[in-house]
Amino acid sequence: MKTTAVQKPLGKGRPKAQAGENKRERILDSAVYLFAKHGVSETTVAQIAKKSGVTSAMVHYYFKNWDGLLDTVMAERIVPKIKYVWDGIEKINSVPEILTVFIDRFFTIMEEEPLFPELWNREIFNVGGNLRERFINYYPVKKLQAVQQIFVQAQKQGQINPHLQATHIIVSAIGLIIFPLIAHDLLSSLLKLSAIDKEKYKQHVKSLIEKGLYT
């Protein structure tokens, strides 16, 4: 299930409005790519324009200024993914089901946007990241807190491992998913690891968490 619509190539005779939308999407695609690979601070409007096949003036036309571009990347490329992952999670009362849905959705967005681990590592998780404050402003903290309380209650009722920090289970799941994707190139050079099979790795994460929850 896709969380965002796929941008289709333009055909001949398409209205100019759609051509404009296509340029705007290309600019956002290029910005996300360059931000992930080089960081926001090391990326310029000219680089984004060149990769997008437009002029710097066109970038300014669509996004006004640098903050406007960053706001749009967050609002249109990151926030929909956050909403997709967290939609209705707090209404699920089963701990195993919460984790299954959360992990499946998280892997879905990583499949759709392979650059996200790098982007999140550079600009969201890292202290001083250029998207960090924007991310904090959008993150559904109340949903996270509600899920944490479900885990806390399940632990009090003896349903999950008493040695766990119940409020850290979701954060641990995120770390298990993202860190290997971020560090795979480094670990591969050190340990000669093969390419990650995302489906097998998803099952690996689920098994680790499931065994930890009930041991």
Side-chain angles (χ1 to χ4, degrees), residues 138 147 154 209:
Y138 279 108
V147 169
I209 292 176

PDB file of all heavy atoms in Angstrom, residues 138 147 154 209:
ATOM      1  N   TYR A 138       5.990  18.583  14.303  1.00  0.00           N
ATOM      2  CA  TYR A 138       4.963  17.777  13.637  1.00  0.00           C
ATOM      3  C   TYR A 138       4.749  16.407  14.276  1.00  0.00           C
ATOM      4  O   TYR A 138       3.742  15.750  14.008  1.00  0.00           O
ATOM      5  CB  TYR A 138       5.338  17.556  12.159  1.00  0.00           C
ATOM      6  CG  TYR A 138       5.008  18.719  11.249  1.00  0.00           C
ATOM      7  CD1 TYR A 138       6.020  19.516  10.723  1.00  0.00           C
ATOM      8  CD2 TYR A 138       3.694  19.003  10.902  1.00  0.00           C
ATOM      9  CE1 TYR A 138       5.724  20.570   9.860  1.00  0.00           C
ATOM     10  CE2 TYR A 138       3.384  20.055  10.047  1.00  0.00           C
ATOM     11  CZ  TYR A 138       4.407  20.835   9.527  1.00  0.00           C
ATOM     12  OH  TYR A 138       4.109  21.872   8.677  1.00  0.00           O
ATOM     13  N   VAL A 147       0.507   5.158  23.232  1.00  0.00           N
ATOM     14  CA  VAL A 147       1.043   3.816  22.991  1.00  0.00           C
ATOM     15  C   VAL A 147       1.966   3.403  24.133  1.00  0.00           C
ATOM     16  O   VAL A 147       1.934   2.248  24.595  1.00  0.00           O
ATOM     17  CB  VAL A 147       1.778   3.763  21.633  1.00  0.00           C
ATOM     18  CG1 VAL A 147       2.566   2.461  21.484  1.00  0.00           C
ATOM     19  CG2 VAL A 147       0.783   3.894  20.488  1.00  0.00           C
ATOM     20  N   ALA A 154       0.340  -3.057  30.029  1.00  0.00           N
ATOM     21  CA  ALA A 154       0.548  -4.467  29.695  1.00  0.00           C
ATOM     22  C   ALA A 154       1.647  -5.062  30.567  1.00  0.00           C
ATOM     23  O   ALA A 154       1.550  -6.212  31.013  1.00  0.00           O
ATOM     24  CB  ALA A 154       0.911  -4.606  28.218  1.00  0.00           C
ATOM     25  N   ILE A 209      12.188  -8.295  18.668  1.00  0.00           N
ATOM     26  CA  ILE A 209      11.294  -7.604  19.591  1.00  0.00           C
ATOM     27  C   ILE A 209      10.349  -8.573  20.273  1.00  0.00           C
ATOM     28  O   ILE A 209      10.121  -8.492  21.492  1.00  0.00           O
ATOM     29  CB  ILE A 209      10.513  -6.490  18.857  1.00  0.00           C
ATOM     30  CG1 ILE A 209      11.485  -5.379  18.431  1.00  0.00           C
ATOM     31  CG2 ILE A 209       9.404  -5.918  19.735  1.00  0.00           C
ATOM     32  CD1 ILE A 209      10.856  -4.274  17.633  1.00  0.00           C
TER      33      ILE A 209
END
